[in-house]
Amino acid sequence: MTRNGIDFTTYFKQYPDEKGYFGRYGGSYIPVELQAAMDEITEAYFTICKSRKFINELRRIRKEFQGRPTPISHLERLSGAIGNVQLYVKREDLNHTGAHKLNHCMGEVLLAKFMGKKKVIAETGAGQHGVALATAAAYFGLECDVYMGTVDIRKQAPNVARMKILGTNVVEVKEGLGTLKEAVDAAFEAYSREYKDCIYCIGSVVGPHPFPMMVRDFQHIVGVEARQQFVEMTGELPDVITACVGGGSNSAGFFSGFLNDPVDIVGVEPLGRGPKLGDHAASLTYGTEGVMHGFNSIMLKDEAGAPAPVYSIASGLDYPSSGPEHAFLRDMGRVRYETADDEETVRAFFALSRYEGIIPAIESSHAVAYAIRLAKQRKMGSILINLSGRGDKDMDYVLEHYGIPGKDAKLV
Ligand SMILES: *Cc1c(COP(=O)(O)O)cnc(C)c1O
């Protein structure tokens, strides 16, 4: 399939280019000494991604440790309550640790081990990336330092406990507001000191090359499985596929299985409380081009051009930019980006729980909300949603702020 001069049969051979660009987006904007460390990672990655031993090892881990392939479920009751469009979900909530993040963390730590590194480091906000990385580090027997702001440590006690139980060193960052931004700075600083012995594991398809490509490749399995399973189940491709977009890793992997197919692809961004700057984190919808955190993409900026404060009910989507490949696929017209606000998302959270017995992550609920909206507008067809994670972590917050809907509350 060709769109805007891009041939999607050869897309993966062409993008990103050797400097890590997807068209004008991507690249690597970091200090020179760290560039040497990135080049080392890129070279190691290109060596192992062609190595049978590495690929077989990752395949074995996916099956025996992560529990892959994760199934697709047909949402029969929910679809019936809306109309004739059939909804399906790819169940990344059933991946070990309850979300898609382990897919790339296992790849990253396997790479670190191949490179002879002793340690992996990362920052975490809500703790989801920290827990996935801690899990992978325990599996491979590497040390793990996770930088986390004081305020986040207090707010995310269960994830801090998980990381500690898994043997990870949670490093408290007391500077500034004690949240994700300060944790990023502290982790980056530590990496500048320790890059000879460790690698920095980025938690999404963001940051300097090779991370947007590498994390997408490690998530590619989600799209490959989903395509094959859907065709086996129904005899055809879905009409529409959709996933939530924060940094963009679960969506990038899921979409990558369908780029060359006659399938509509829709990424869903968090509209939060509304379209005013500061009330949402819908960077591809409202942002402009710029460089932050080591890469060029579309981002939300304040008046000074710095990353703007962002908000979403879903802490996993609360990021002022998205990966460069998303910006590129948007410009090429291959992927469309829509939004869902907090309220619609919470309704979808309860709809999936009540109609199907699946409590979704509040991040994933954004994609469910969009799919429900689209299903109401159409007379027929099928929509496949990537359910990036399970919602146990969100239950307390949702109940405290929204309460339990009544027996006859209108959820769809
Ligand atoms: C972290 C997270 C996300 C957002 O990250 P992406 O890189 O955009 O996929 C989405 N869903 C869940 C369950 C998460 O934990």
Side-chain angles (χ1 to χ4, degrees):
M1 179 159 77
T2 305
R3 284 257 176 118
N4 285 315
I6 305 233
D7 181 356
F8 281 95
T9 51
T10 56
Y11 175 79
F12 295 107
K13 286 207 186 312
Q14 288 175 294
Y15 300 99
D17 68 16
E18 75 266 33
K19 291 242 170 345
Y21 281 93
F22 299 86
R24 54 194 294 129
Y25 305 110
S28 180
Y29 299 80
I30 53 175
V32 267
E33 64 279 11
L34 284 183
Q35 189 55 51
M38 283 302 147
D39 292 344
E40 190 200 352
I41 294 174
T42 306
E43 206 181 300
Y45 177 67
F46 277 124
T47 309
I48 61 166
C49 76
K50 302 271 181 274
S51 137
R52 253 175 85 123
K53 191 158 160 271
F54 180 82
I55 292 167
N56 285 340
E57 174 73 351
L58 203 53
R59 283 201 179 138
R60 189 187 62 74
I61 289 167
R62 301 251 192 254
K63 180 158 172 244
E64 294 173 12
F65 179 66
Q66 292 181 231
R68 304 200 68 88
T70 59
I72 284 181
S73 304
H74 181 197
L75 307 181
E76 253 182 281
R77 286 216 326 119
L78 182 60
S79 305
I82 299 168
N84 286 325
V85 173
Q86 299 305 307
L87 301 174
Y88 297 81
V89 282
K90 171 69 171 161
R91 302 289 305 276
E92 288 308 287
D93 60 316
L94 297 178
N95 196 35
H96 179 44
T97 71
H100 71 286
K101 285 196 174 73
L102 194 65
N103 298 331
H104 60 250
C105 285
M106 292 307 286
E108 287 174 332
V109 182
L110 181 58
L111 175 67
K113 191 158 179 162
F114 169 85
M115 293 172 74
K117 305 290 184 187
K118 295 183 186 61
K119 197 204 277 188
V120 288
I121 64 176
E123 80 289 338
T124 196
Q128 298 301 108
H129 176 50
V131 169
L133 191 64
T135 303
Y139 180 90
F140 289 108
L142 263 64
E143 276 179 65
C144 181
D145 288 353
V146 171
Y147 291 79
M148 196 168 180
T150 305
V151 171
D152 286 336
I153 287 181
R154 216 179 315 123
K155 272 179 29 192
Q156 310 292 344
N159 277 342
V160 174
R162 281 187 191 103
M163 285 186 272
K164 288 184 173 165
I165 288 169
L166 290 161
T168 279
N169 180 27
V170 179
V171 185
E172 180 172 351
V173 181
K174 296 186 179 137
E175 282 81 17
L177 298 172
T179 58
L180 183 63
K181 186 187 169 304
E182 292 80 18
V184 173
D185 293 342
F188 211 72
E189 217 177 279
Y191 185 51
S192 316
R193 285 192 308 269
E194 304 180 54
Y195 65 86
K196 288 212 171 58
D197 298 321
C198 67
I199 74 170
Y200 192 124
C201 292
I202 293 178
S204 189
V205 287
V206 298
H209 181 61
F211 280 92
M213 169 189 70
M214 203 163 74
V215 170
R216 190 258 336 255
D217 292 354
F218 289 142
Q219 292 293 345
H220 184 55
I221 184 72
V222 179
V224 170
E225 282 177 11
R227 188 182 188 284
Q228 190 189 347
Q229 290 167 322
F230 194 90
V231 170
E232 261 166 33
M233 265 174 106
T234 68
E236 56 192 16
L237 288 165
D239 294 303
V240 182
I241 65 165
T242 186
C244 65
V245 182
S249 64
N250 87 84
S251 50
F254 183 55
F255 295 169
S256 68
F258 297 87
L259 286 177
N260 193 34
D261 291 320
V263 169
D264 283 345
I265 307 182
V266 185
V268 184
E269 297 197 292
L271 188 58
R273 293 183 287 250
K276 199 157 88 25
L277 188 68
D279 282 349
H280 64 84
S283 47
L284 292 158
T285 306
Y286 295 105
T288 51
E289 189 175 348
V291 171
M292 63 178 260
H293 301 162
F295 66 107
N296 183 48
S297 188
I298 300 295
M299 55 188 268
L300 293 165
K301 290 177 251 180
D302 63 16
E303 281 124 45
V310 285
Y311 162 81
S312 164
I313 185 174
S315 53
L317 303 181
D318 204 348
Y319 186 68
S321 183
S322 290
E325 188 170 18
H326 286 287
F328 179 63
L329 292 171
R330 180 197 73 163
D331 285 7
M332 291 304 117
R334 182 62 193 97
V335 179
R336 205 149 47 77
Y337 294 85
E338 302 276 349
T339 60
D341 68 14
D342 283 1
E343 212 163 291
E344 189 184 12
T345 296
V346 170
R347 229 179 305 129
F349 171 89
F350 282 113
L352 196 63
S353 302
R354 293 259 167 113
Y355 280 101
E356 299 292 341
I358 301 170
I359 302 176
I362 200 74
E363 288 83 3
S364 326
S365 303
H366 285 75
V368 178
Y370 170 74
I372 290 173
R373 197 194 314 150
L374 186 67
K376 284 182 183 167
Q377 292 163 3
R378 294 198 170 185
K379 292 214 163 41
M380 52 192 279
S382 58
I383 305 174
L384 174 60
I385 307 156
N386 195 31
L387 201 73
S388 53
R390 67 172 182 227
D392 308 44
K393 66 187 180 56
D394 303 308
M395 296 188 302
D396 291 346
Y397 183 89
V398 170
L399 289 191
E400 188 185 322
H401 290 82
Y402 293 86
I404 294 270
K407 273 261 171 288
D408 39 41
K410 196 172 151 23
L411 297 173
V412 295

